[in-house]
């Protein structure tokens, strides 16, 4: 359940004169008598009209204030509203929503489209707002654009009237107190997520000969909350996250028939709903990719996940190879060319099911380091760079430590997600001082050819007990060197040895090990005493995000999935088509949440179910101030170029 309020400015009204007045008289047909025009019909009682004390047309008024006070009053009812300011939207647990008129109480101050910054003139305010609409340079700081608050009054002016307490509502005392964690175990929750989610990642047994266990396997297959299917346009199964081909062959045929029936009508099927299940379909050339979910994700979010699975297929085959296979033989069985990639696809699918902030935000997460320490690592990679190097990355547990790249070139987050999935999620690359030489297509960089990736794990460290990485990934540090030259293995191996020697000598490896063991920063370190339990902060200009530790409120897989589901709903609300929300406040049974979107950042945060709006707004501003101070530590700004 949630509550959504949106504030818009009202437009200027205009005056409309009668286009063609009745003539004063006209001639009759034969008697020459003049007939006056019929009078206008009387106004219905109670309709929108002139007040009794309003002067007649043409009568002069005493001044501007009098004209404003005599402006017609618009009447609202339970089914109509004059503007979006008078409309509230109520979100139901089933995913539907209804609108109703707000109370006639108007806030004391009128909200405008320009942010009111205390202590600044009107011209200065407009100048800063205009400047914030442009993307900053790589070295720009958000402190140049985002006014932070010091008191309650400025909190309200920052986030607008949406976060003002309603008439008669108190925002002190128990209203701001944190009396329980979101999604706590003390909350009675009848959501079907709890009994089924723990079984979601267990593999189904193979179908026995004769089909003795087929019925039980089908029941377990249908109980899964999320499925991913890949099939060819000819109906050949290619991949399924749950169940083997024999078990789901009938379902594959049904899906192929539904999609083909729409294509025969010169139409394309994108999504549909059956009960509580959402189906999203994506057609990419000769492939059909289908997502089936009961986790409440939006179509755009499921489409992004299907796009990532398609990129994983292309990373193995490349686009020209895929097209050639199906142009020569449309009924090609793609399972043989993709043999061995099932663990990569399944690891990626399970990451989406658990909840993936990088996929949701389309952004990267970095290891928190001092700017001077990161600069030493960057300089070490630049000094030891091999001539054939295209990209050099140092990664710790899926978080970026350092990157060197050619000038005016950068890696797309989706390509880095494929690399991180291979190294830290799928477990297909051996750790423990091992070396790997992997041909890999990075589709967002170039989907027509291969690059060659040298991977060396620099050490394996024990988990800090918080499982901060999510998805059971180990806290490992890897050096990734990418080249377009397939003969550059030994040159990159030599670079790796020189890098290790330099990093050990200048103490950088010790710093990285300490940061890895420490894990993500806690909310107690960010904002002591805050009511917020977790947040996601994305820097739009840097395409990176930061989040705190999941402990202690979101240690279990169920609470973490509920947290990510809430983030998915917030993200879908502010990024919906034709939506122009800047602040979205949602009140639920288990938690309250806030989405705050500006041209420079996106902030999503969650608090306990009893937290009030003012306390939530204060906590959000504390997070913004912290990111402002720590920006060069939590983000890689620009990186090292050559």
């Amino acid at each position: 359940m949630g509550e959504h309020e949106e504030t818009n400015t009202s437009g200027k009204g205009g005056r409309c004169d009668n286009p063609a007045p009745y003539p004063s008289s006209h001639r009759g047909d034969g008697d020459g008598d003049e007939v006056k025009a019929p009078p206008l019909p009387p106004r219905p009682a109670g309709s929108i009209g002139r007040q009794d004390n309003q002067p007649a047309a043409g009568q002069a008024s005493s001044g501007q204030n009098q004209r404003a006070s005599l402006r017609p009053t618009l009447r609202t009812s339970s089914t109509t509203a004059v503007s979006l300011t008078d409309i509230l939207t109520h979100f139901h647990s089933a995913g539907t929503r209804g609108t109703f008129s707000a109370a006639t109480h108007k806030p004391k101050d009128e909200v405008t489209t320009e942010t009111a910054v205390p202590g600044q003139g009107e011209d200065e305010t407009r100048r800063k707002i205009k400047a914030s609409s442009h993307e900053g340079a790589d070295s720009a700081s958000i402190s140049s654009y985002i006014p932070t608050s010091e008191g309650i009054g400025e909190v309200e002016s920052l986030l607008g009237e949406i976060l003002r307490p309603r008439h008669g509502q108190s925002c002190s005392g128990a209203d701001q107190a944190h009396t329980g964690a979101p999604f706590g175990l003390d909350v009675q929750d009848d959501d079907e997520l709890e009994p089924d989610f723990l079984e979601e990642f267990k593999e189904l047994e193979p179908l026995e000969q004769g089909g003795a266990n087929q019925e039980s396997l089908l029941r377990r297959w249908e109980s899964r909350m999320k499925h991913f299917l890949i099939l060819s346009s000819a109906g050949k199964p290619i991949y399924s996250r749950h169940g083997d081909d024999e078990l789901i062959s009938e379902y594959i045929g049904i899906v192929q028939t539904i999609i083909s029936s729409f294509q025969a009508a010169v139409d394309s099927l994108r999504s549909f709903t059956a009960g509580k299940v959402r189906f999203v379909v994506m057609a990419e050339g000769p492939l059909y990719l289908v997502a089936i979910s009961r986790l409440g994700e939006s179509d755009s979010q499921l489409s992004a996940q299907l796009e990532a699975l398609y990129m994983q297929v292309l990373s193995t085959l490349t686009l020209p190879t895929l097209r050639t296979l199906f142009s020569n033989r449309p009924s090609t069985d793609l399972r043989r060319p993709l043999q061995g990639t099932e663990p990569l696809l399944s690891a990626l699918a399970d990451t989406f099911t658990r909840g993936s902030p990088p996929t949701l935000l389309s952004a990267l997460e970095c290891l928190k380091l001092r700017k001077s320490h990161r600069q030493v690592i960057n300089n070490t990679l630049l000094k030891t760079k091999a001539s054939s190097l295209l990209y050099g990355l140092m990664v710790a547990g899926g978080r970026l430590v350092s990157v060197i790249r050619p000038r005016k070139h950068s890696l797309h987050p989706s390509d880095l997600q494929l690399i991180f999935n291979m190294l830290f999620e799928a477990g297909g690359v051996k750790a423990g001082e091992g070396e790997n030489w992997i041909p890999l297509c990075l589709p967002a960089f170039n989907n027509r050819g291969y690059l060659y990736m040298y991977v060396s794990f620099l050490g394996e460290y024990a988990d800090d007990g918080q499982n901060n990485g999510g998805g059971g990934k180990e806290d490992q540090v890897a050096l990734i060197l990418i080249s377009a030259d397939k003969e550059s293995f030994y040159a990159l191996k030599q670079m790796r040895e020189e890098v290790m020697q330099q990093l050990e000598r200048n103490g950088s490896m010790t710093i990285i090990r300490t940061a890895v063991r420490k894990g993500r920063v806690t909310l107690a370190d960010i904002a002591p005493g805050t009511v917020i339990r977790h947040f996601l902060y994305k820097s739009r200009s840097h395409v990176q995000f930061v989040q705190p530790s999941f402990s202690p409120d979101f240690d279990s897989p169920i609470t973490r999935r509920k947290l990510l589901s809430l983030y998915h709903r917030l993200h879908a609300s502010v990024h919906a088509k034709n939506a122009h929300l800047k602040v979205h406040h949602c009140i639920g049974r288990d938690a309250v949440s806030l989405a705050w979107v500006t041209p420079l950042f996106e902030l999503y945060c969650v608090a306990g179910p009893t937290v009030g709006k003012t306390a939530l707004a204060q906590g959000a501003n504390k997070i913004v101030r912290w990111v402002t101070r720590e920006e060069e530590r939590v983000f890689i700004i620009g990186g090292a170029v050559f």
Side-chain angles (χ1 to χ4, degrees), residues 323-343:
R323 289 175 175 173
T324 301
L325 287 172
F326 283 94
S327 62
N328 295 334
R329 187 180 178 187
S331 61
T332 296
D333 187 354
L334 204 60
R335 288 173 294 182
R336 182 173 299 176
L338 290 176
Q339 188 173 7
T341 63
E342 292 87 353

Side-chain angles (χ1 to χ4, degrees), residues 207-271:
L207 185 64
E208 296 178 357
Q209 291 184 353
N213 62 341
Q214 183 176 5
E215 186 175 350
S216 62
L217 287 178
L218 282 176
R219 284 198 302 267
R220 293 173 57 191
W221 184 85
E222 293 173 355
S223 68
R224 296 295 190 259
M225 304 197 70
K226 196 166 185 177
H227 296 269
F228 290 101
L229 305 176
I230 303 178
L231 61 150
S232 68
S233 56
K236 293 279 188 179
I238 297 174
Y239 169 77
S240 172
R241 173 59 191 95
H242 303 292
D244 55 22
D245 297 340
E246 294 184 56
L247 180 66
I248 65 171
S249 58
E250 294 183 2
Y251 293 92
I252 292 289
I254 293 173
V255 170
Q256 194 270 341
T257 302
I258 294 175
I259 298 174
S260 299
S261 64
F262 277 83
Q263 289 188 337
V266 195
D267 197 357
S268 59
L269 177 63
R270 296 183 179 179
S271 61

Side-chain angles (χ1 to χ4, degrees), residues 310-318 344 418 439-443 450:
Y310 177 65
M311 292 293 185
Q312 185 68 67
V313 173
L314 291 185
S315 69
T316 303
L317 296 178
T318 74
L344 298 177
L418 295 179
L440 181 70
C441 173
L442 299 179
Y450 289 100

Side-chain angles (χ1 to χ4, degrees), residues 128-191:
K128 288 196 173 186
I129 298 301
K130 183 177 180 180
S132 67
S133 63
H134 301 283
E135 290 187 0
D138 288 343
S139 60
S141 172
I142 58 176
S143 61
S144 305
Y145 308 112
I146 300 303
T148 56
S149 61
E150 299 296 338
I152 295 179
E154 294 188 5
V155 171
E156 294 176 346
S157 67
L158 250 179
L159 299 186
E161 298 290 340
I162 278 180
L163 292 187
R164 278 191 190 274
R166 292 182 183 178
H167 184 61
Q169 178 182 354
S170 172
C171 287
S172 61
D175 181 57
Q176 298 186 22
H178 173 67
T179 59
F183 318 120
L185 298 179
D186 56 332
V187 177
Q188 296 296 326
D189 194 347
D190 57 355
D191 191 351

